[in-house]
């Protein structure tokens, strides 16, 4: 079984992310997919947010999955933040190979490290 690497997404992952998001929406391109400049700028803004963790999973040398974790400041629960996960997608060819599980293991690790009381 191939090893899955989960890492922070980078600007170079834009095309792979757009392809994954197209699968997430049943082939309908994301709003920005048709305009590379808009997509590029949006990814730059996401990556610049310190409490945002856009992850990619790499299997067999290809980005095969992604998940987006946002850590949200909180007033309740003694000020401990909470996390929200969005835009989780694994490419069809890599499903049932542990990609989503690997993404969520990393999400849980980050959430614990940042003191989240829930995700």
């Amino acid at each position: 079984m191939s090893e899955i690497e989960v890492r922070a997404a980078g600007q170079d992952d834009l095309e792979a992310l757009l392809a994954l998001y197209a699968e997430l929406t049943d082939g309908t391109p994301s709003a920005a997919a048709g305009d590379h400049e808009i997509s590029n700028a949006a990814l730059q803004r996401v990556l610049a947010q310190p409490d945002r963790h856009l992850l990619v999973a790499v299997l067999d040398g290809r980005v095969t999955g992604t998940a987006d974790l946002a850590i949200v400041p909180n007033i309740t629960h003694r000020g401990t933040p909470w996390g929200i996960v969005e835009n989780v997608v694994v490419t069809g060819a890599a499903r049932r190979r542990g990609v989503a599980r690997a993404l969520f293991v990393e999400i849980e690790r980050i959430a614990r490290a940042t003191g989240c009381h829930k995700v």
Side-chain angles (χ1 to χ4, degrees):
M1 184 162 187
S2 299
E3 188 171 328
I4 301 163
E5 172 197 3
V6 176
R7 61 170 173 77
Q11 204 67 42
D12 291 343
D13 294 313
L14 178 60
E15 295 305 322
L17 288 166
L18 291 175
L20 286 167
Y21 294 149
E23 286 194 47
L24 181 65
T25 58
D26 294 326
T28 304
S30 65
D35 188 329
H36 200 273
E37 188 174 314
I38 291 171
S39 299
N40 193 44
L43 181 56
Q44 286 178 13
R45 287 191 305 276
V46 167
L47 297 177
Q49 296 177 32
D51 290 330
R52 188 92 172 257
H53 302 271
L54 181 58
L55 304 173
V56 292
V58 179
L59 176 64
D60 297 330
R62 291 186 43 240
V63 172
T64 56
T66 187
D68 191 352
L69 169 65
I71 307 297
V72 182
N74 192 18
I75 297 170
T76 64
H77 294 275
R78 305 180 102 178
T80 58
W82 54 277
I84 186 164
V85 180
E86 274 292 337
N87 297 326
V88 178
V89 60
V90 175
T91 190
R95 291 187 187 144
R96 307 203 50 83
R97 294 183 63 190
V99 175
R101 180 183 309 273
L103 285 164
F104 275 94
V105 165
E106 181 63 5
I107 286 166
E108 184 177 357
R109 187 198 67 74
I110 294 167
R112 287 183 191 278
T114 57
C116 287
H117 75 274
K118 70 177 181 177
V119 175

